[in-house]
PDB file of all heavy atoms in Angstrom:
ATOM      1  N   PHE A   1      70.415 -85.070-183.599  1.00  0.00           N
ATOM      2  CA  PHE A   1      69.565 -86.234-183.762  1.00  0.00           C
ATOM      3  C   PHE A   1      68.112 -85.903-184.106  1.00  0.00           C
ATOM      4  O   PHE A   1      67.301 -86.822-184.232  1.00  0.00           O
ATOM      5  CB  PHE A   1      69.644 -87.148-182.493  1.00  0.00           C
ATOM      6  CG  PHE A   1      70.995 -87.744-182.356  1.00  0.00           C
ATOM      7  CD1 PHE A   1      71.865 -87.253-181.368  1.00  0.00           C
ATOM      8  CD2 PHE A   1      71.455 -88.728-183.172  1.00  0.00           C
ATOM      9  CE1 PHE A   1      73.129 -87.808-181.197  1.00  0.00           C
ATOM     10  CE2 PHE A   1      72.736 -89.265-183.055  1.00  0.00           C
ATOM     11  CZ  PHE A   1      73.571 -88.798-182.056  1.00  0.00           C
ATOM     12  N   ILE A   2      67.752 -84.641-184.288  1.00  0.00           N
ATOM     13  CA  ILE A   2      66.440 -84.306-184.746  1.00  0.00           C
ATOM     14  C   ILE A   2      66.323 -84.698-186.203  1.00  0.00           C
ATOM     15  O   ILE A   2      67.178 -84.314-187.024  1.00  0.00           O
ATOM     16  CB  ILE A   2      66.146 -82.803-184.530  1.00  0.00           C
ATOM     17  CG1 ILE A   2      65.990 -82.498-183.052  1.00  0.00           C
ATOM     18  CG2 ILE A   2      64.874 -82.406-185.283  1.00  0.00           C
ATOM     19  CD1 ILE A   2      65.757 -81.015-182.792  1.00  0.00           C
ATOM     20  N   THR A   3      65.297 -85.430-186.571  1.00  0.00           N
ATOM     21  CA  THR A   3      65.162 -85.865-187.970  1.00  0.00           C
ATOM     22  C   THR A   3      64.277 -84.953-188.770  1.00  0.00           C
ATOM     23  O   THR A   3      64.384 -84.908-189.981  1.00  0.00           O
ATOM     24  CB  THR A   3      64.590 -87.301-188.011  1.00  0.00           C
ATOM     25  OG1 THR A   3      63.374 -87.330-187.308  1.00  0.00           O
ATOM     26  CG2 THR A   3      65.596 -88.282-187.431  1.00  0.00           C
ATOM     27  N   GLN A   4      63.413 -84.156-188.098  1.00  0.00           N
ATOM     28  CA  GLN A   4      62.549 -83.214-188.822  1.00  0.00           C
ATOM     29  C   GLN A   4      62.529 -81.927-188.054  1.00  0.00           C
ATOM     30  O   GLN A   4      62.411 -81.904-186.817  1.00  0.00           O
ATOM     31  CB  GLN A   4      61.148 -83.758-188.887  1.00  0.00           C
ATOM     32  CG  GLN A   4      61.020 -84.990-189.800  1.00  0.00           C
ATOM     33  CD  GLN A   4      59.582 -85.446-189.863  1.00  0.00           C
ATOM     34  OE1 GLN A   4      58.916 -85.535-188.862  1.00  0.00           O
ATOM     35  NE2 GLN A   4      59.152 -85.769-191.075  1.00  0.00           N
ATOM     36  N   GLY A   5      62.624 -80.811-188.752  1.00  0.00           N
ATOM     37  CA  GLY A   5      62.535 -79.500-188.129  1.00  0.00           C
ATOM     38  C   GLY A   5      63.847 -79.161-187.433  1.00  0.00           C
ATOM     39  O   GLY A   5      64.923 -79.710-187.714  1.00  0.00           O
ATOM     40  N   THR A   6      63.748 -78.159-186.509  1.00  0.00           N
ATOM     41  CA  THR A   6      64.909 -77.681-185.805  1.00  0.00           C
ATOM     42  C   THR A   6      64.635 -77.750-184.303  1.00  0.00           C
ATOM     43  O   THR A   6      63.521 -78.052-183.906  1.00  0.00           O
ATOM     44  CB  THR A   6      65.211 -76.189-186.163  1.00  0.00           C
ATOM     45  OG1 THR A   6      64.172 -75.348-185.619  1.00  0.00           O
ATOM     46  CG2 THR A   6      65.333 -75.989-187.686  1.00  0.00           C
ATOM     47  N   ILE A   7      65.609 -77.413-183.496  1.00  0.00           N
ATOM     48  CA  ILE A   7      65.480 -77.409-182.065  1.00  0.00           C
ATOM     49  C   ILE A   7      64.367 -76.436-181.638  1.00  0.00           C
ATOM     50  O   ILE A   7      63.673 -76.616-180.652  1.00  0.00           O
ATOM     51  CB  ILE A   7      66.808 -77.168-181.310  1.00  0.00           C
ATOM     52  CG1 ILE A   7      66.631 -77.487-179.822  1.00  0.00           C
ATOM     53  CG2 ILE A   7      67.292 -75.755-181.587  1.00  0.00           C
ATOM     54  CD1 ILE A   7      67.930 -77.582-179.094  1.00  0.00           C
ATOM     55  N   ASP A   8      64.171 -75.379-182.434  1.00  0.00           N
ATOM     56  CA  ASP A   8      63.141 -74.384-182.139  1.00  0.00           C
ATOM     57  C   ASP A   8      61.738 -74.911-182.325  1.00  0.00           C
ATOM     58  O   ASP A   8      60.769 -74.389-181.775  1.00  0.00           O
ATOM     59  CB  ASP A   8      63.344 -73.117-182.967  1.00  0.00           C
ATOM     60  CG  ASP A   8      64.639 -72.380-182.642  1.00  0.00           C
ATOM     61  OD1 ASP A   8      65.028 -72.466-181.453  1.00  0.00           O
ATOM     62  OD2 ASP A   8      65.165 -71.758-183.561  1.00  0.00           O
ATOM     63  N   ASP A   9      61.642 -76.020-183.055  1.00  0.00           N
ATOM     64  CA  ASP A   9      60.337 -76.684-183.289  1.00  0.00           C
ATOM     65  C   ASP A   9      59.948 -77.627-182.132  1.00  0.00           C
ATOM     66  O   ASP A   9      58.827 -78.054-182.053  1.00  0.00           O
ATOM     67  CB  ASP A   9      60.326 -77.461-184.596  1.00  0.00           C
ATOM     68  CG  ASP A   9      60.532 -76.524-185.797  1.00  0.00           C
ATOM     69  OD1 ASP A   9      60.044 -75.373-185.781  1.00  0.00           O
ATOM     70  OD2 ASP A   9      61.204 -76.955-186.754  1.00  0.00           O
ATOM     71  N   VAL A  10      60.930 -77.922-181.274  1.00  0.00           N
ATOM     72  CA  VAL A  10      60.670 -78.832-180.147  1.00  0.00           C
ATOM     73  C   VAL A  10      60.000 -78.039-179.054  1.00  0.00           C
ATOM     74  O   VAL A  10      60.464 -76.967-178.709  1.00  0.00           O
ATOM     75  CB  VAL A  10      61.980 -79.445-179.654  1.00  0.00           C
ATOM     76  CG1 VAL A  10      61.770 -80.351-178.461  1.00  0.00           C
ATOM     77  CG2 VAL A  10      62.695 -80.211-180.753  1.00  0.00           C
ATOM     78  N   GLY A  11      58.905 -78.568-178.529  1.00  0.00           N
ATOM     79  CA  GLY A  11      58.232 -77.885-177.421  1.00  0.00           C
ATOM     80  C   GLY A  11      59.079 -77.704-176.210  1.00  0.00           C
ATOM     81  O   GLY A  11      60.005 -78.488-175.998  1.00  0.00           O
ATOM     82  N   SER A  12      58.756 -76.695-175.424  1.00  0.00           N
ATOM     83  CA  SER A  12      59.603 -76.350-174.253  1.00  0.00           C
ATOM     84  C   SER A  12      59.625 -77.494-173.227  1.00  0.00           C
ATOM     85  O   SER A  12      60.663 -77.734-172.630  1.00  0.00           O
ATOM     86  CB  SER A  12      59.124 -75.058-173.613  1.00  0.00           C
ATOM     87  OG  SER A  12      59.456 -73.950-174.435  1.00  0.00           O
ATOM     88  N   VAL A  13      58.488 -78.157-173.031  1.00  0.00           N
ATOM     89  CA  VAL A  13      58.430 -79.254-172.048  1.00  0.00           C
ATOM     90  C   VAL A  13      59.350 -80.398-172.544  1.00  0.00           C
ATOM     91  O   VAL A  13      60.128 -80.940-171.811  1.00  0.00           O
ATOM     92  CB  VAL A  13      57.005 -79.741-171.777  1.00  0.00           C
ATOM     93  CG1 VAL A  13      57.009 -80.974-170.895  1.00  0.00           C
ATOM     94  CG2 VAL A  13      56.213 -78.654-171.089  1.00  0.00           C
ATOM     95  N   GLU A  14      59.124 -80.768-173.827  1.00  0.00           N
ATOM     96  CA  GLU A  14      59.897 -81.821-174.405  1.00  0.00           C
ATOM     97  C   GLU A  14      61.402 -81.503-174.367  1.00  0.00           C
ATOM     98  O   GLU A  14      62.244 -82.380-174.068  1.00  0.00           O
ATOM     99  CB  GLU A  14      59.455 -82.113-175.829  1.00  0.00           C
ATOM    100  CG  GLU A  14      58.054 -82.719-175.959  1.00  0.00           C
ATOM    101  CD  GLU A  14      56.915 -81.716-175.834  1.00  0.00           C
ATOM    102  OE1 GLU A  14      57.158 -80.502-175.623  1.00  0.00           O
ATOM    103  OE2 GLU A  14      55.723 -82.130-176.025  1.00  0.00           O
ATOM    104  N   LYS A  15      61.730 -80.276-174.738  1.00  0.00           N
ATOM    105  CA  LYS A  15      63.130 -79.837-174.720  1.00  0.00           C
ATOM    106  C   LYS A  15      63.727 -79.927-173.359  1.00  0.00           C
ATOM    107  O   LYS A  15      64.885 -80.345-173.131  1.00  0.00           O
ATOM    108  CB  LYS A  15      63.230 -78.416-175.268  1.00  0.00           C
ATOM    109  CG  LYS A  15      64.623 -77.996-175.696  1.00  0.00           C
ATOM    110  CD  LYS A  15      64.674 -76.559-176.180  1.00  0.00           C
ATOM    111  CE  LYS A  15      63.656 -76.222-177.175  1.00  0.00           C
ATOM    112  NZ  LYS A  15      63.634 -74.787-177.549  1.00  0.00           N
ATOM    113  N   SER A  16      62.929 -79.569-172.313  1.00  0.00           N
ATOM    114  CA  SER A  16      63.417 -79.598-170.906  1.00  0.00           C
ATOM    115  C   SER A  16      63.650 -81.019-170.496  1.00  0.00           C
ATOM    116  O   SER A  16      64.683 -81.290-169.844  1.00  0.00           O
ATOM    117  CB  SER A  16      62.381 -78.887-170.022  1.00  0.00           C
ATOM    118  OG  SER A  16      62.227 -77.560-170.354  1.00  0.00           O
ATOM    119  N   ILE A  17      62.790 -81.929-170.865  1.00  0.00           N
ATOM    120  CA  ILE A  17      62.979 -83.370-170.547  1.00  0.00           C
ATOM    121  C   ILE A  17      64.235 -83.859-171.208  1.00  0.00           C
ATOM    122  O   ILE A  17      65.048 -84.585-170.632  1.00  0.00           O
ATOM    123  CB  ILE A  17      61.741 -84.186-170.915  1.00  0.00           C
ATOM    124  CG1 ILE A  17      60.511 -83.736-170.048  1.00  0.00           C
ATOM    125  CG2 ILE A  17      61.993 -85.689-170.785  1.00  0.00           C
ATOM    126  CD1 ILE A  17      59.188 -84.300-170.468  1.00  0.00           C
ATOM    127  N   LEU A  18      64.361 -83.577-172.503  1.00  0.00           N
ATOM    128  CA  LEU A  18      65.528 -84.024-173.245  1.00  0.00           C
ATOM    129  C   LEU A  18      66.806 -83.466-172.660  1.00  0.00           C
ATOM    130  O   LEU A  18      67.788 -84.170-172.500  1.00  0.00           O
ATOM    131  CB  LEU A  18      65.422 -83.576-174.709  1.00  0.00           C
ATOM    132  CG  LEU A  18      64.604 -84.437-175.637  1.00  0.00           C
ATOM    133  CD1 LEU A  18      64.385 -83.772-176.958  1.00  0.00           C
ATOM    134  CD2 LEU A  18      65.265 -85.791-175.793  1.00  0.00           C
ATOM    135  N   ARG A  19      66.850 -82.177-172.365  1.00  0.00           N
ATOM    136  CA  ARG A  19      68.053 -81.566-171.796  1.00  0.00           C
ATOM    137  C   ARG A  19      68.465 -82.264-170.522  1.00  0.00           C
ATOM    138  O   ARG A  19      69.665 -82.556-170.311  1.00  0.00           O
ATOM    139  CB  ARG A  19      67.800 -80.058-171.568  1.00  0.00           C
ATOM    140  CG  ARG A  19      67.849 -79.230-172.840  1.00  0.00           C
ATOM    141  CD  ARG A  19      67.473 -77.806-172.584  1.00  0.00           C
ATOM    142  NE  ARG A  19      67.765 -76.996-173.775  1.00  0.00           N
ATOM    143  CZ  ARG A  19      67.263 -75.775-173.955  1.00  0.00           C
ATOM    144  NH1 ARG A  19      66.502 -75.216-173.036  1.00  0.00           N
ATOM    145  NH2 ARG A  19      67.567 -75.061-175.008  1.00  0.00           N
ATOM    146  N   LEU A  20      67.515 -82.469-169.635  1.00  0.00           N
ATOM    147  CA  LEU A  20      67.851 -83.152-168.355  1.00  0.00           C
ATOM    148  C   LEU A  20      68.374 -84.523-168.606  1.00  0.00           C
ATOM    149  O   LEU A  20      69.405 -84.924-168.090  1.00  0.00           O
ATOM    150  CB  LEU A  20      66.622 -83.189-167.486  1.00  0.00           C
ATOM    151  CG  LEU A  20      66.771 -83.964-166.163  1.00  0.00           C
ATOM    152  CD1 LEU A  20      67.877 -83.377-165.340  1.00  0.00           C
ATOM    153  CD2 LEU A  20      65.440 -83.973-165.417  1.00  0.00           C
ATOM    154  N   ALA A  21      67.703 -85.314-169.427  1.00  0.00           N
ATOM    155  CA  ALA A  21      68.117 -86.704-169.677  1.00  0.00           C
ATOM    156  C   ALA A  21      69.476 -86.758-170.375  1.00  0.00           C
ATOM    157  O   ALA A  21      70.309 -87.608-169.989  1.00  0.00           O
ATOM    158  CB  ALA A  21      67.056 -87.440-170.511  1.00  0.00           C
ATOM    159  N   ILE A  22      69.711 -85.862-171.325  1.00  0.00           N
ATOM    160  CA  ILE A  22      70.985 -85.860-172.019  1.00  0.00           C
ATOM    161  C   ILE A  22      72.091 -85.457-171.050  1.00  0.00           C
ATOM    162  O   ILE A  22      73.158 -86.060-171.067  1.00  0.00           O
ATOM    163  CB  ILE A  22      70.920 -84.965-173.230  1.00  0.00           C
ATOM    164  CG1 ILE A  22      69.979 -85.547-174.300  1.00  0.00           C
ATOM    165  CG2 ILE A  22      72.362 -84.717-173.850  1.00  0.00           C
ATOM    166  CD1 ILE A  22      69.622 -84.593-175.427  1.00  0.00           C
ATOM    167  N   TYR A  23      71.813 -84.505-170.195  1.00  0.00           N
ATOM    168  CA  TYR A  23      72.801 -84.177-169.141  1.00  0.00           C
ATOM    169  C   TYR A  23      73.141 -85.431-168.329  1.00  0.00           C
ATOM    170  O   TYR A  23      74.337 -85.662-168.127  1.00  0.00           O
ATOM    171  CB  TYR A  23      72.324 -83.032-168.252  1.00  0.00           C
ATOM    172  CG  TYR A  23      73.239 -82.836-167.072  1.00  0.00           C
ATOM    173  CD1 TYR A  23      74.476 -82.208-167.231  1.00  0.00           C
ATOM    174  CD2 TYR A  23      72.932 -83.366-165.844  1.00  0.00           C
ATOM    175  CE1 TYR A  23      75.344 -82.099-166.166  1.00  0.00           C
ATOM    176  CE2 TYR A  23      73.796 -83.259-164.749  1.00  0.00           C
ATOM    177  CZ  TYR A  23      75.004 -82.616-164.954  1.00  0.00           C
ATOM    178  OH  TYR A  23      75.890 -82.532-163.904  1.00  0.00           O
ATOM    179  N   GLU A  24      72.146 -86.104-167.895  1.00  0.00           N
ATOM    180  CA  GLU A  24      72.360 -87.290-167.037  1.00  0.00           C
ATOM    181  C   GLU A  24      73.156 -88.354-167.799  1.00  0.00           C
ATOM    182  O   GLU A  24      74.053 -88.996-167.252  1.00  0.00           O
ATOM    183  CB  GLU A  24      71.083 -87.855-166.530  1.00  0.00           C
ATOM    184  CG  GLU A  24      70.396 -86.988-165.483  1.00  0.00           C
ATOM    185  CD  GLU A  24      69.202 -87.617-164.831  1.00  0.00           C
ATOM    186  OE1 GLU A  24      68.094 -87.464-165.358  1.00  0.00           O
ATOM    187  OE2 GLU A  24      69.420 -88.282-163.802  1.00  0.00           O
ATOM    188  N   ILE A  25      72.840 -88.554-169.097  1.00  0.00           N
ATOM    189  CA  ILE A  25      73.504 -89.579-169.864  1.00  0.00           C
ATOM    190  C   ILE A  25      75.001 -89.197-170.081  1.00  0.00           C
ATOM    191  O   ILE A  25      75.891 -90.040-169.972  1.00  0.00           O
ATOM    192  CB  ILE A  25      72.827 -89.802-171.221  1.00  0.00           C
ATOM    193  CG1 ILE A  25      71.474 -90.515-170.985  1.00  0.00           C
ATOM    194  CG2 ILE A  25      73.718 -90.556-172.196  1.00  0.00           C
ATOM    195  CD1 ILE A  25      70.580 -90.567-172.200  1.00  0.00           C
ATOM    196  N   LEU A  26      75.253 -87.923-170.404  1.00  0.00           N
ATOM    197  CA  LEU A  26      76.618 -87.482-170.760  1.00  0.00           C
ATOM    198  C   LEU A  26      77.487 -87.193-169.588  1.00  0.00           C
ATOM    199  O   LEU A  26      78.707 -87.368-169.640  1.00  0.00           O
ATOM    200  CB  LEU A  26      76.537 -86.273-171.697  1.00  0.00           C
ATOM    201  CG  LEU A  26      75.876 -86.431-173.040  1.00  0.00           C
ATOM    202  CD1 LEU A  26      75.919 -85.126-173.814  1.00  0.00           C
ATOM    203  CD2 LEU A  26      76.514 -87.544-173.846  1.00  0.00           C
TER     204      LEU A  26
END
Protein backbone atom coordinates (compact mmCIF):
# COMPACT_ATOMS: atom_id res chain seq x y z
CA PHE A 1 0.00 0.00 0.00
CA ILE A 2 2.96 2.38 -0.21
CA THR A 3 2.26 4.71 -3.11
CA GLN A 4 5.69 6.35 -3.30
CA GLY A 5 9.10 4.90 -2.54
CA THR A 6 9.80 1.65 -0.74
CA ILE A 7 9.48 0.33 2.79
CA ASP A 8 13.10 1.39 3.32
CA ASP A 9 12.02 4.99 2.75
CA VAL A 10 9.56 4.82 5.66
CA GLY A 11 11.00 6.23 8.89
CA SER A 12 11.64 3.78 11.72
CA VAL A 13 9.09 5.41 14.05
CA GLU A 14 6.42 5.45 11.36
CA LYS A 15 7.24 1.86 10.39
CA SER A 16 7.00 0.78 14.04
CA ILE A 17 3.59 2.43 14.43
CA LEU A 18 2.38 0.84 11.19
CA ARG A 19 3.68 -2.60 12.13
CA LEU A 20 1.94 -2.52 15.47
CA ALA A 21 -1.36 -1.27 14.05
CA ILE A 22 -1.31 -3.74 11.16
CA TYR A 23 -0.63 -6.57 13.59
CA GLU A 24 -3.63 -5.50 15.66
CA ILE A 25 -5.87 -5.20 12.59
CA LEU A 26 -4.87 -8.55 11.09
